[in-house]
Each structure stands twice: as structure tokens, then as C-alpha cells.
Amino acid sequence: MQITLQRQPIEEVQTNALIILVFQKRREDRLGLGELFDAGEISGKAFETTLVHNVPGMRARRVLAVGAGQPGKFNAAELRKAVGAAIRHLKSKSITDAAVWLDAAQTGADDVAAAVEGAILGDFETDRYKTDKKDVKPMERFTVAVAEGGPQLDAAVERGRIVAEAQNFTRELANEPSNRLTPMALAGDARRMAEEFGLECEVLDRDRMTQLGMGSLLGVAMGSAEPPALIILRYRPATPHAASVHLGLVGKGVTFDTGGISIKPADGMEKMKYDMSGGAAMIGAMRALAQLKPAIPVTALIPAVENMPGSRAQRPGDIVTSLSGKTIEVINTDAEGRLILADAISYAQKLGCTHLVDAATLTGAIVVALGHIHVGLFANDDALRERVLLAARAEGEKMWHMPLEDDYKDYLKSVFADLPNVGGRYGGAVTAAMFLKEFADPTPWVHLDIAGTAWLDDSKPFLAKGPTGVPLRTMVRLAMDWQ
Ligand code: BES
Ligand code: MN
Ligand code: ZN
């Protein structure tokens, strides 16, 4: 999709469809839309779409009024969604050339970036393996049209493009089926991306991880014929950071989660190809950061394994020794995410990371707690937690702070080892986070449980069903805003 910014009066925008935002309870009398508003045909309700042809005085061939909801609740995140909904509507009508008009109130850099992101994210389809794609054509041209604005708007268009393309890269990766995307295949994709965008990439194989003593990660990999990989991507700023901050992004990369010997029920198991969504988001974040060049060094670590019930698989009751030296009793082989993340977190500390964020489709319990709306956020450090929450809010990736206190330690007791890999029946998302905290402490760390938000089971007006790419945008902003 070709993306441009144009500064000109609204009447002069040349496009097949000019998207304009209309708000609830705010009569839109421009472009002859007042009549439609009075008749109730346009209400301004979020994502409502009304296509109007031959608007007098306009060079645009059509005007698409898209509902933007209540003006008081409107922000960059709503704009991203409104543009996404408009683009998806236009695509369904085979219109592949569009522009969005932004009024002076919506021409901050974040608004312009969000509009570009909305278009690119809305254009994405999960149809790679459909042999007949003739009903959905990709967008060819998208223009952001404003009356005026400085060069910061051109930079915002570029930033929006970089971030949204990275997010679609993540969505494509996450959507790959597990027969194609094995742990080594994921490592290959990460390496190719790193070569293209100038990042360092290192992949630790099973032998190297055995030497290092990553018994917790390797235990999970035992049941699969597919070898595991620890993928490491490094970005270094041209000038070293004064405060010597080093951000580590750890992403769960289980390319398929059968549950292992503690096997999952068949119903819905196909969704467990998404169990590497956290890893895919961190790889995508690095793709964006390689281009946007933050001031701080960022290292991503993605432990990639397939959790299978093979004849060599680990068994409930097995005890493994993690890289940290702590021993773990594997009570349930389906609680595998925390086992691989524990070693990746320890290794991130060895590499010198001073701050850590992990993203993982970790527990069904977080979906029970927060549904598919909020990411569950756990932290051992208030300052890092606030940084992440601030970035998430700016990016419209909803996150909710969950408890992480020593009282919960009572739920994590093993008779035979230092700790078990599961707690009891209650507070499953919290006990999973408490398990990780044992490895992350004392490094400032935030854990994001994205089990409910990594993919959509049904499409939204602004997004195709399938992987969402959450929390890539938050990670990118977190790194970019670090002073
Ligand atoms: N990958 C799953 C968690 C998950 C479930 C993600 C549903 C997305 C949707 C994870 O590895 C898992 O199996 N967790 C178990 C933990 C339990 C055994 C303590 C779970 O949540 O049931
Ligand atoms: Mn599992
Ligand atoms: Zn899993």
C-alpha cells in the first residue's frame, strides 16, 4: 500500500473515497451530510459506515462517513479503529484507493500515526493459505489529508507505517500453522528479519542450552522431534545510553502446545498454534525498533519449543534444574510457558538486561479474570509498571494491573523441589506470575499475560479475526519514550 500525506483543502482531495469522521450528537453539516444526520441515517455511532456518492464541490469520487462515537471519548486509539473500520468497509466494496480527512483537532503526530496504522492494520487479511482470494483485494493507495501541519506529520506517517507493518509481520508469524512454523523455522524467520533490518541475531541450539544448564526450557522440548531454539535479537544504539539502561523483551515461543503428557482436550486445541504470540510480538517489536532507533539498547529473547507428548516427553513429577539453579517439580506438563520463560529470564539477566518485560499466552485463568479485553499486567517494580501502563494507554492496548504479593507464595509449595510449576485451583494467573517472579527478582520486571488478547476468535469491524499483535505497539513506545 502506497501511503502519502497531503496538505490541501478538503474539497481538493483526489481519491476514490474520502473518509470523514462523524461524531454522535454532533450534527455534521459539512458536505451536505446534515440531511442524512437529521434523517437518522447517520448517527455517528462507532464504526457506522455511510457511503455517499457525487458530493457537490468535492474532487473525491465518494465520501465515506465513519462513526467515531462520542466526541468526549475520542482519542488516537479510537481514530485508529475508525480508520480501520472504514478501510475494511471500502475493501468489501472493492475500493482500493482511499484518503482520510483529519480536522485540526486530530492532527497531532500520534493521531496521524494512528490513522496510518488503522489503514495498514485494517488492510491485513489472514488469507495466506487461501488459493482463491479474488473477493478481497489489498488496498493500493492511502492518503492522510490535512489542511496544514509541520514536518512532524511526515515523520508521524513514517512511524505509523513502520509500526503497523511490524504488527502485521507479527500477525502473519503468529498465524502460521505449527507444521510450518517449528521452533527452528521461527528462528529462521527472526534471523531473516534481523538481516533485512540490521539487527544482530543469535540462536542457541539444544547443545548450547545443555552446556549452559537450561534444564527447565529443555525439559519442555523433550517430547517433540522438533529441536528447541533460544532466539536472541539485539539492537544497540549508535551512542551508548548514559544511564546504561538495557531493556530485555522476553516472549513465549511455544509453536504448539498440546499440553504434553498432561494433554489438553481436543476441542479448540488448534488455537494453540498461537502459543508463540508473545514471541512473535517481541520479534515484531524489534523489527520496528531497528528502524525507529531508540536511545536505549534492547534485546529480545524468545524461547521457542513445541510442547508434545512424545515417548521422551517429560512426565508429571519430573524434577528439572533451571539455569538459575532453582529446582522445579513439574506437576503439570501443560504449565510449560513458565518453564521456558524462567530460563529465558535468567539468561536475559546474564546478558546484562537491567529491565525486563515478558509477554506470554500464559494462562486460561487470565481469560477467566479479564476476558478478551485487557492484558493482565503483573510487576515487581512500580516505576517500570507505570512506564508500561503509560505506553499501553497511549497505544490503545488495554492492560490491567494484577496483584503480585508474597501472600500468594503459599500457593506455590513443592515437597520435593524448590518450587512446583503450578499453584492450586485458585488465582491461576497470579500463581503463574508468582512463579516467574522467583526468577525475575531482583531485576525490575513486568509480566504481560496475553492469553485473552493475542488473537480474535471473531473479526472486529477494524481488524480481521486471528492474531492481534498485542503488545507490540506498547513495547515499541516503551523503548522509544525511554530517556
Ligand atoms: N498456553 C496455555 C494457556 C492458554 C490457554 C493460552 C488458553 C490461551 C488460551 C498454557 O500453556 C497452559 O496450558 N496453561 C494452563 C496452566 C495450568 C496447567 C496451570 C492453563 O491455563 O490451563
Ligand atoms: Mn500449556
Ligand atoms: Zn502454553
Side-chain angles (χ1 to χ4, degrees), residues 32 46 89 103 105 115 118 147 203 205 216 261 267 290 327 330 370 388 408 432 440 449:
H89 181 75
D103 283 327
V203 177
D205 63 8
S216 186
I261 296 299
D267 195 33
T327 57
V330 180
L370 300 177
V388 174
Y408 289 99
D449 194 335

Side-chain angles (χ1 to χ4, degrees), residues 20-22 27-39 42 50 52 55 63-65:
I20 72 156
L21 302 162
V22 290
R27 186 177 189 272
E28 179 58 71
D29 51 10
R30 290 178 302 178
L31 315 182
L33 296 177
E35 219 172 288
L36 297 177
F37 204 92
D38 296 338
I42 294 179
T50 314
V52 190
V55 177
V63 166
L64 178 69

Side-chain angles (χ1 to χ4, degrees), residues 407-419:
D407 307 57
Y408 289 99
K409 267 193 177 174
D410 291 346
Y411 295 172
L412 273 183
K413 291 244 148 74
S414 165
V415 179
F416 307 113
D418 295 339
L419 69 166

Side-chain angles (χ1 to χ4, degrees), residues 252 257 264 272 275 332 334 336 361-364 422 451 455:
K252 174 175 174 180
D257 182 13
K264 287 181 181 297
M272 285 299 115
D275 215 18
N332 189 319
D334 197 11
E336 84 296 341
T361 46
L362 203 66
T363 68
V422 295
W455 72 88

Side-chain angles (χ1 to χ4, degrees), residues 308-330:
M308 295 285 273
S311 66
R312 310 299 305 260
Q314 71 177 346
R315 297 138 289 248
D318 281 5
I319 294 175
V320 294
T321 303
S322 64
L323 178 61
S324 72
K326 286 191 165 80
T327 57
I328 303 164
E329 184 181 10
V330 180

Side-chain angles (χ1 to χ4, degrees), residues 358-420:
D358 81 70
T361 46
L362 203 66
T363 68
I366 201 68
V367 194
V368 175
L370 300 177
H372 300 289
I373 311 297
H374 282 86
V375 172
L377 179 150
F378 302 80
N380 68 354
D381 182 85
D382 293 351
L384 183 60
R385 179 193 74 215
E386 283 313 306
R387 275 184 191 273
V388 174
L389 282 172
L390 217 63
R393 218 165 291 139
E395 291 295 343
E397 294 185 323
K398 292 188 199 303
M399 301 191 180
W400 199 260
H401 180 206
M402 300 285 287
L404 194 64
E405 291 175 30
D406 284 346
D407 307 57
Y408 289 99
K409 267 193 177 174
D410 291 346
Y411 295 172
L412 273 183
K413 291 244 148 74
S414 165
V415 179
F416 307 113
D418 295 339
L419 69 166

